[in-house]
Amino acid sequence: MEAIINRLNIFDTYLFNAIFRYYKQSFLRTVIYIITKSGDGISYPLYFLIMYLLEPEIFPLFFKLIFIGFCIEIPMYKFFKNSVKRTRPIHRFHHVASLVKPSDQFSFPSGHTATAFMTAFFLALLFPHLKIPVYFWASLVGFSRVYLGVHYPGDVFAGVFLGMSSAFLSLQMLLLSGWL
């Protein structure tokens, strides 16, 4: 098992370096910085306000889904962060610098990616015509975390899985409870 984990880590580091080598391109770095900021926790109240103003009849359902989703995602996120304790690329490699300051020292899984994909799941569910743009945005948020040196690609894939499974479980809980 340890040999498999070591090989995955080597592959993950290789992918990280392949993506991070483009970091010096300032225009791209600025665009990626804006994308990663769109996935920051501080941005979500603004998204809720926009949803409330544009779709007030759908907002209560969206809020229930997100609330239950966060009740599932956050404990799982904290459990994995504190169990795996994977060092972030910016703390492991001397050649890696970042425009963003991570909220903690560990990289696995990517919380930005998990939240973006959970949100995208609910938006795609409620607004099927937005499925491609919201999943594209969530994918860009995940990519931005690697590009900016705060996560490995494996952290992002784990974030996708965490976000999507939290969203799915949230939906199932609301369906089973009769709240939908």
Side-chain angles (χ1 to χ4, degrees):
M1 183 65 154
E2 188 175 328
I4 293 171
I5 292 173
N6 285 338
R7 286 183 185 179
L8 286 173
N9 194 31
I10 290 168
F11 182 68
D12 211 20
T13 301
Y14 171 79
L15 285 177
F16 168 79
N17 284 316
I19 293 168
F20 190 77
R21 71 177 162 188
Y22 296 103
Y23 184 76
K24 291 179 176 60
Q25 297 177 7
S26 64
F27 172 74
L28 185 57
R29 193 171 58 222
T30 302
V31 170
I32 296 291
Y33 177 79
I34 292 167
I35 291 167
T36 212
K37 286 299 181 184
S38 75
D40 278 359
I42 194 127
S43 301
Y44 286 90
L46 175 62
Y47 302 152
F48 294 151
L49 177 62
I50 291 168
M51 171 69 86
Y52 178 75
L53 294 174
L54 296 179
E55 297 288 345
E57 66 282 352
I58 294 177
F59 179 77
L61 174 58
F62 179 71
F63 186 80
K64 284 179 198 175
L65 288 165
I66 286 284
F67 180 78
I68 300 297
F70 275 125
C71 287
I72 295 167
E73 180 199 333
I74 291 172
M76 290 172 59
Y77 164 82
K78 290 187 180 286
F79 171 79
F80 286 118
K81 280 278 188 185
N82 294 315
S83 296
V84 175
K85 296 184 178 182
R86 187 177 196 190
T87 303
R88 291 183 184 273
I90 61 170
H91 299 133
R92 183 173 171 212
F93 302 112
H94 297 295
H95 72 282
V96 177
S98 183
L99 293 175
V100 295
K101 182 178 178 351
S103 60
D104 58 46
Q105 68 188 61
F106 303 124
S107 70
F108 184 90
S110 168
H112 278 74
T113 305
T115 301
F117 271 88
M118 182 178 69
T119 303
F121 180 97
F122 295 138
L123 289 173
L125 177 72
L126 297 170
F127 306 100
H129 63 284
L130 294 178
K131 183 182 289 186
I132 292 172
V134 297
Y135 280 119
F136 183 68
W137 164 76
S139 299
L140 287 175
V141 169
F143 176 81
S144 75
R145 305 306 288 168
V146 176
Y147 184 87
L148 292 170
V150 292
H151 285 288
Y152 296 94
D155 304 336
V156 170
F157 291 128
V160 171
F161 180 77
L162 176 59
M164 295 296 282
S165 45
S166 297
F168 180 77
L169 289 171
S170 172
L171 177 62
Q172 294 306 308
M173 289 175 72
L174 287 174
L175 286 170
L176 291 173
S177 71
W179 285 9
L180 287 182

